Amino acid sequence: MSEGTMHRPAQRDQRSRTAVVTTKRRQHALAALAAVPVLLLAAVGCSSGSDSGSGAGAEAGSADNAAKATPEPGAGETVSASPTVQAAAYRKLPEPCAVLSEKTLKDLVPKGVKSGKEGSSNDTGTRGSCSWTSLVNNGVKGSQFRWLNVSLLRFESTATRGSAEELAGAYYKSQVQDAQSAEGAKNTRSEPVAGAGDEATSVRYDLKKKEGSFRQQTVVVRVENVVVTLDYNGAGLAGEKTPSADGLAKAAVKAAKEAVAEVSSANGDGGAAAPDPANSPTSSASSSAKPSASPTKPPSSSPPSSPSPSASKKS
């Protein structure tokens, strides 16, 4: 056998091995190419799942979380729709010209018992006043003049302005301050009054006018949500001597206590057992009929025909 013949089988074997290796490489390459679509599909699937999680599913999850974060009323709990305030103790006022007995009027205004004149009011349920005038003529000795006025002001509770008692307290203080700062007043003296309402103050002073020297007494009393202001003054005219300030003050305090007792009596001695309808912000009551939250003076009665003894107060 020739040398060339011996090399041919070896060459064939080499070519066979080369062919086998090449075939295996091709198979691996094809397998790798076949795996690419699978990986792409898997990646698309993951991306799609991620998008759905940030879409409707995420929105639902956020809504669930928000619902869990919002507190709900517990068992037996109720949600209040509006704030409430303490109800007003007194719901009405007595007739202003009937708060003093005939005996008391005879002591204070001996010639003016029947002269009571009711002041104007746009709502007699919340405000009222009455005044009396007396002139005792003693001939050549002169005359004794007396003037008496009782004012009543009742406050109501509202959710926006506060409790009636607080409003009445503010008005009470303003009335006392007005009396203490009366224009032209001399020898002003203030003192608390015991046994009259929840708080009471008596203010007295002297006032010089062209008709003579007047002694002014103002007693301010707050009882629950009502403020009673009693003004009483006297003067000796045409030669008569000026009345005693102590005597006038004592009579004024007695009359003020009587007026306060009538306020309590008109309301069955007070005490609000039922809720006040004025508590609601939707109350249909007319606001114009209610006392203002800021203290204001009640409507004054018409001045008497005789020289007015009342001091001119600062506005």
Side-chain angles (χ1 to χ4, degrees):
M1 183 178 296
S2 64
E3 183 177 352
T5 304
M6 292 178 61
H7 284 288
R8 288 193 187 106
Q11 292 175 350
R12 283 196 297 267
D13 291 341
Q14 181 67 28
R15 285 196 297 269
S16 297
R17 285 194 298 269
T18 302
V20 170
V21 172
T22 302
T23 300
K24 288 183 178 182
R25 288 177 178 175
R26 287 177 180 175
Q27 289 176 348
H28 287 308
L30 291 174
L33 291 174
V36 170
V38 176
L39 293 175
L40 290 175
L41 289 175
V44 171
C46 292
S47 175
S48 176
S50 175
D51 291 342
S52 63
S54 61
E59 291 178 0
S62 299
D64 291 341
N65 293 336
K68 292 178 181 179
T70 302
E72 296 181 357
E77 292 183 358
T78 57
V79 179
S80 176
S82 61
T84 58
V85 293
Q86 183 180 359
Y90 291 149
R91 303 294 181 80
K92 58 182 179 179
L93 294 175
E95 292 293 330
C97 291
V99 294
L100 300 177
S101 66
E102 184 174 350
K103 180 181 182 302
T104 299
L105 290 174
K106 284 182 178 180
D107 292 339
L108 274 67
V109 284
K111 293 295 183 178
V113 175
K114 303 298 183 181
S115 68
K117 183 176 181 181
E118 186 172 346
S120 61
S121 174
N122 61 352
D123 184 0
T124 57
T126 58
R127 64 178 67 215
S129 64
C130 189
S131 61
W132 296 262
T133 303
S134 172
L135 184 65
V136 178
N137 192 338
N138 295 321
V140 295
K141 292 183 179 181
S143 59
Q144 286 289 333
F145 178 82
R146 301 289 186 273
W147 182 77
L148 172 67
N149 184 81
V150 177
S151 297
L152 310 170
L153 190 59
R154 184 180 68 84
F155 291 84
E156 294 179 354
S157 297
T158 66
T160 55
R161 297 188 302 138
S163 73
E165 187 171 340
E166 291 174 344
L167 296 172
Y171 181 75
Y172 162 81
K173 292 178 181 178
S174 75
Q175 287 292 88
V176 172
Q177 292 173 356
D178 283 350
Q180 293 171 335
S181 60
E183 184 177 354
K186 302 292 185 181
N187 305 319
T188 302
R189 175 182 171 185
S190 302
E191 57 187 2
V193 177
D198 296 297
E199 49 187 339
T201 301
S202 174
V203 182
R204 68 167 77 173
Y205 54 84
D206 298 333
L207 186 66
K208 184 71 173 179
K209 303 188 73 172
K210 64 179 181 179
E211 297 86 0
S213 297
F214 291 85
R215 301 289 175 95
Q216 171 72 30
Q217 319 294 319
T218 299
V219 183
V220 186
V221 184
R222 181 186 69 80
V223 54
E224 299 288 355
N225 57 306
V226 175
V227 177
V228 176
T229 304
L230 185 142
D231 290 299
Y232 182 51
N233 58 37
L237 306 177
E240 262 283 25
K241 64 179 181 179
T242 303
S244 166
D246 290 338
L248 293 178
K250 183 178 180 180
V253 169
K254 179 182 177 182
K257 289 182 178 181
E258 187 174 320
V260 170
E262 284 298 311
V263 172
S264 297
S265 178
N267 289 273
D269 292 331
D276 190 343
N279 286 355
S280 173
T282 59
S283 173
S284 59
S286 172
S287 60
S288 61
K290 298 177 183 178
S292 172
S294 58
T296 56
K297 297 180 182 179
S300 58
S301 58
S302 302
S305 55
S306 302
S308 174
S310 59
S312 174
K313 297 180 179 180
K314 296 179 180 179
S315 57

